[in-house]
Amino acid sequence: DKSAGTPVVTLSNANGAQASFTAPAVTTPTAVTFQLTVTDNGGGSATDTCIVTVQPAVVAPTNQPPV
C-alpha cells in the first residue's frame, strides 16, 4: 500500500481494483515505483512493478500591472 524509495506515497484503495495516490510536489521529474501482487482464488500469484513519473507543477506567471 506504499511506494518504494523516495518520495514515499500512500495508495488509497490499495486492495481494490482501482488504487490511486496523490502525487507529491516535486521540482524535477520524479519516478515513483509501485509493486503490484495479485492472487487468484486458487492461490496462484504474480507480481509486477510499475513506475510512474511525477512531473513538476506548471505555475502560470502572475499578471503584473504596467509600469
Side-chain angles (χ1 to χ4, degrees):
D1 63 357
K2 291 191 178 183
S3 61
T6 304
V8 173
V9 298
T10 300
L11 287 172
S12 298
N13 197 30
N15 294 321
Q18 293 182 337
S20 64
F21 70 98
T22 299
V26 297
T27 57
T28 60
T30 302
V32 179
T33 304
F34 295 95
Q35 186 175 49
L36 169 70
T37 300
V38 294
T39 304
D40 66 18
N41 292 337
S45 65
T47 301
D48 198 3
T49 299
C50 175
I51 299 172
V52 177
T53 301
V54 178
Q55 300 290 335
V58 176
V59 179
T62 56
N63 219 359
Q64 299 295 323
V67 179

